[in-house]
Amino acid sequence: MELKPELGLRQVGLRFGGRPVVEGIDLGVAKGEVLVLLGPSGCGKTSLLRLMAGLIAPNAGQVTLNGAPPRPGQGTAMVFQSYRLLPWKTVAQNVAFALPDLAPAAVAQRVAEVLALVGLARVADALPAQLSGGMKQRVALARALAPRPDFLLMDEPFAALDAQARELMQMELLRLTGAQGGPGVVFVTHSVDEALVLADRIVLLSPRPGRILARVELPFAAPRWREDPRSHPAYADLRARLWAQLRDAVLNDPQSDFHRAAADLRS
Amino acid sequence: MGERTVTAMPDRSEARTQAEDAPRARGPAVPGAETALGTALLRLGFLGLVLIVWALAARAAPPGLFASPLAVAQALGRLVAEGRLLPALGASLQVYLLGTGLAIVAGAALGCAMGTFRLLGRTLDIYVMALAATPRVAFIPLIIVALGLGLQAKLLIVFLGAVMPVILNAYAGVRAADPELVEMARATGASRPRILRHVVLPGALPYLMTGIRIGATIGLINTVVAELYTAISGLGGLLAVYGSRFRMAEYLAVVVVLALIGAAVTEALRLIEKRLLRWREA
Ligand SMILES: Nc1ncnc2c1ncn2[C@@H]1O[C@H](COP(=O)(O)OP(=O)(O)O)[C@@H](O)[C@H]1O
Ligand SMILES: [Mg+2]
């Protein structure tokens, strides 16, 4: 069964000062699906999320959300690696910031709802500086979920967390978005394991300019937050394949730190 | 003995970890109070030292050139009793608080506007900086010609001194807005005014408070300058009168009152700042 993509990129190209950042990107994500963009740093992953959020416009091709060019905050919400909470606002006020168009009573109700959803109801009045990294990222996740976006755009959101918090947040994300009617997720990472744990589909990107190297459909059955895909027989094989492709992409990138090292090793 | 040393080590490292974790938790009230009390005691001790040195210096100086702390305290009492101090204090505070208050409001508004509207900022900033670097005393004759010797002239002298650091710091604060937070706000679909109100201006507040503290200090200096250069009045006027008659005890009593105003204003601003910027500690 083919799902109709609701967030789509067609032949998208983007340049900064004449230099191509991404080229010829074709992508489609449907609501309820987790698409992981996997690639080394500098391959344009963050730029692709900005395009999807409507924060920047492409130089070539089209970006569409439900048939029209995306506009910031209209159907998409972003989650960043650095949390980006407003330090002068409480947890509840930070979540409320994403709900500018609701009446105060409706804001309070929705904030309480999403804070309960991420298990932070009891720190609603705390300031961000009083929270751990994992809690801050849960606040950021609650803020993103509050306006009920069609798509969550997540830029290496768990990269700053310790290994244990990262794994818990990955499960949390699958639980929160896997429910019926949940948002689609575009999740950026440079970790092969994170990609395999989270994704329905993985798109592997090459650096400078970012192009699509490979598309991988994952065979692991949902719901994955109950059954760890790492115990699946296909996991090791997929992991090895993705790693090999990612490594080749980095080693073939003349601007990568590893390019020279690889050349030295070969000679 | 040796064994005990070995077992003691993990204990100590554990204690250190707890100490490092402490700032993340809500700060316990008791250590804070202890520090505040300690600071107060140290400050009092230093004041005592100053008074002793002052008393010794007064004894060593030829009579009439300098006054002892006791003489100054007595002079202060006389000034109050004779009804000279309070009217002068009232006049000075009127000029100071009104001039500085206007400077804070106008400076914050202009500085924030300059930071928000880049064209305005780029056009004006070198003039503001040039004006800030010019000794304001140079403008006093002009001000007197334009406004006379009365309250208006005094207010303008105070205003001009206090407004510059407020403008420049508010301007710097708005321009230093965190681009990551601004992008986050844009991604929620927030309008420019909403970003300004919830992201840029709160972020500029620490800068603004620094500007206000500097402005309040310059404002007090300029209050005395204004009272000396225009119609003699207020505490500056008393300084002129007692200074020219070598009444050192009275003169120093007025200086002490000015120092107390400065200390009170600085302390009040510090408390306001601490309250407004609570989010920075935690
Ligand atoms: N605003 C910008 N101006 C100029 N160059 C940019 C800008 N944003 C990104 N780039 C460049 O585009 C390339 C891709 O950046 P980015 O999308 O952040 O990649 P990634 O997130 O995969 O690390 C990088 O080489 C970066 O230097
Ligand atoms: Mg990036």
Side-chain angles (χ1 to χ4, degrees), chain B residues 29-96:
Chain B
V30 179
E34 251 175 42
T35 326
L37 188 66
T39 309
L41 285 175
L42 280 174
R43 284 176 177 175
L44 277 176
F46 183 74
L47 181 64
L49 195 69
V50 168
L51 288 175
I52 290 169
V53 172
W54 179 1
L56 291 176
R59 186 171 297 179
L65 267 189
F66 207 50
S68 72
L70 187 62
V72 169
Q74 287 166 341
L76 193 59
R78 273 200 307 280
L79 285 178
V80 174
E82 291 165 11
R84 289 173 206 270
L85 184 73
L86 291 184
L89 180 64
S92 289
L93 283 180
Q94 185 192 15
V95 171
Y96 174 47

Side-chain angles (χ1 to χ4, degrees), chain A residues 80-84, chain B residues 177-186 199:
Chain A
F80 308 89
Q81 179 181 333
S82 50
Y83 323 126
R84 305 200 190 180
Chain B
D178 183 344
E180 292 204 335
L181 292 181
V182 172
E183 188 192 38
M184 176 282 296
R186 285 193 47 212
V199 181

Side-chain angles (χ1 to χ4, degrees), chain A residues 41-42 44-47 155-156 188:
Chain A
S41 88
K45 304 181 298 292
T46 297
S47 301
D155 195 358
E156 306 189 27
V188 160

